[in-house]
Amino acid sequence: AYLTTLYATSIFNFLDWNSAPVFEALSLAAMFHDIGKLKLNKKLLTMKIEEMSPDEIKEYCTHPDLGAVILGGIHGVGEIVQQIISQHHECLDGSGFPRGIKSVKISPLANIIGLSNRFVHYLQDEKLAPVTALEKLLRTPEQIPKYKPDIISGLVKSMADPSRFKFSTNPVLSKKRNVR
């Protein structure tokens, strides 16, 4: 969750949407994007999706909505955070889950978290260095249509300028909270 948050906020820093409330919603949703997995059969947490039966895949695909429900009961967590969490596995080409929605029906913030999450899986599951993971992502043709071009560009730029990986570098938040 930490790495997904780190990369998601880094991507955000390269987009033109800098606003403190949006940054905060993205950060919160990224940190808790997989909280719904707490409600899944524990066996599923150790399996790759390729190893799951159709019923196990069906259960696994409920975790985004389960996460939105869990956070829905917490004071201060708005509907936008719930929507982002619910959609973090949706893809622009409609190949995602839990609903298979596509294009403009997906929150761009959910798309940022989806890309960050995919990237972190390359880092952790395949034990790739960040630049190698980025190269693999960009050379995997079926991955590119899943994410908005400006979001992919933000990930690429973050690799070129790793100084932007600090949460406090967001200029809106730095001014608002005097964070340096």
Side-chain angles (χ1 to χ4, degrees):
Y2 174 76
L3 285 175
T4 298
T5 305
L6 179 68
Y7 286 104
T9 56
S10 178
I11 291 168
F12 183 84
N13 282 326
F14 284 96
L15 301 174
D16 293 331
W17 324 331
N18 278 332
S19 83
V22 176
F23 183 83
E24 290 170 4
L26 172 71
S27 300
L28 185 61
M31 188 57 76
F32 292 104
H33 72 280
D34 276 343
I35 197 167
K37 288 182 177 180
L38 292 173
K39 298 284 188 181
L40 298 180
N41 179 333
K42 301 301 177 218
K43 173 184 157 189
L44 297 179
L45 302 180
T46 61
M47 298 173 73
K48 292 184 179 182
I49 202 151
E50 301 83 31
E51 303 167 339
M52 294 179 191
S53 71
D55 286 340
E56 290 169 331
I57 292 171
K58 187 175 179 181
E59 180 183 350
Y60 177 81
C61 289
T62 65
H63 84 266
D65 284 339
L66 292 172
V69 170
I70 290 169
L71 290 179
I74 297 175
H75 177 72
V77 176
E79 288 181 21
I80 187 69
V81 172
Q82 291 173 273
Q83 177 190 18
I84 295 165
I85 289 172
S86 180
Q87 294 181 354
H88 80 272
H89 279 295
E90 299 289 0
C91 300
L92 293 181
D93 63 2
S95 66
F97 63 87
R99 284 174 278 300
I101 59 176
K102 60 182 175 178
S103 192
V104 296
K105 294 181 181 178
I106 302 168
S107 163
L109 300 177
N111 200 236
I112 291 172
I113 293 173
L115 176 61
S116 301
N117 192 45
R118 165 64 33 221
F119 182 72
V120 168
H121 280 290
Y122 284 146
L123 295 175
Q124 293 180 327
D125 298 348
E126 300 184 30
K127 302 187 184 345
L128 299 176
V131 173
T132 307
L134 179 62
E135 184 177 305
K136 179 173 182 169
L137 177 78
L138 296 175
R139 291 182 188 264
T140 308
E142 65 272 10
Q143 290 299 318
I144 302 304
K146 296 176 187 268
Y147 309 103
K148 291 178 54 107
D150 60 333
I151 292 171
I152 292 173
S153 177
L155 180 61
V156 171
K157 289 175 184 175
S158 72
M159 294 292 123
D161 185 4
S163 67
R164 298 245 291 316
F165 275 89
K166 298 175 185 168
F167 293 110
S168 62
T169 61
N170 184 292
V172 174
L173 294 180
S174 296
K175 289 177 188 172
K176 182 179 177 187
R177 296 185 180 167
N178 262 344
V179 176
R180 300 262 178 219

